[in-house]
Amino acid sequence: MTVQIIRNGVLVDEPDGYLDSTGTAGLSLDEVRRLRKIEASVEFRRRMEMKANFGGVGIRTDTAARSEIEQLVGFLTRSGGTLSFVTRTEDGVPGVLVEDMTLIGATQLRQVVESYAPLCIAREAALFKAIDQAGTIAAVEAIDVTTGWPEGV
């Protein structure tokens, strides 16, 4: 895995653990903080590209997916029934059979999808705060930017 960092104004790929493996000799605390924030932002983007985990199934969290889930909740609310359907991958290949989706299940699905992005945003903000509060280079380097994120698939 690589981490993208900005070097001399150019975005470049570096091996994961770049800060740890190269050391920070000659860098100021502020420079190390900036680099760790870039690593946190890269992890944020990676997590946002993942799918929310709903019972082990990856669910898209984009606007179109949220709209489709909202339509499903509306349909189940109006019909008072259940619905069975087959999911499809992005290229239209049949995927997982979802049997007997109820209004409760659809509502839980909506909550998972709607909370995924805000949880990612909150995690990045918490990492930035921890990085800003770290008083030494060693403390900044000890912050693990890969943990504490919402579960995605």
Side-chain angles (χ1 to χ4, degrees), residues 47-125:
R47 296 295 176 145
M48 289 298 291
E49 291 171 1
M50 295 175 80
K51 297 177 180 177
N53 184 358
F54 184 71
V57 176
I59 305 295
R60 292 185 353 257
T61 60
D62 56 50
T63 302
R66 290 192 309 270
S67 175
E68 291 167 6
I69 293 166
E70 199 58 46
Q71 290 173 21
L72 174 63
V73 170
F75 172 79
L76 291 171
T77 300
R78 289 187 303 280
S79 69
T82 61
L83 179 68
S84 296
F85 58 93
V86 175
T87 63
R88 297 200 177 270
T89 63
E90 292 174 7
D91 52 356
V93 177
V96 178
L97 172 64
V98 179
E99 296 183 28
D100 300 330
M101 174 61 81
T102 64
L103 178 58
I104 292 171
T107 302
Q108 290 170 341
L109 174 63
R110 178 177 59 189
Q111 290 170 343
V112 166
V113 168
E114 288 179 350
S115 67
Y116 186 77
L119 288 172
C120 287
I121 291 166
R123 178 61 185 146
E124 184 187 42

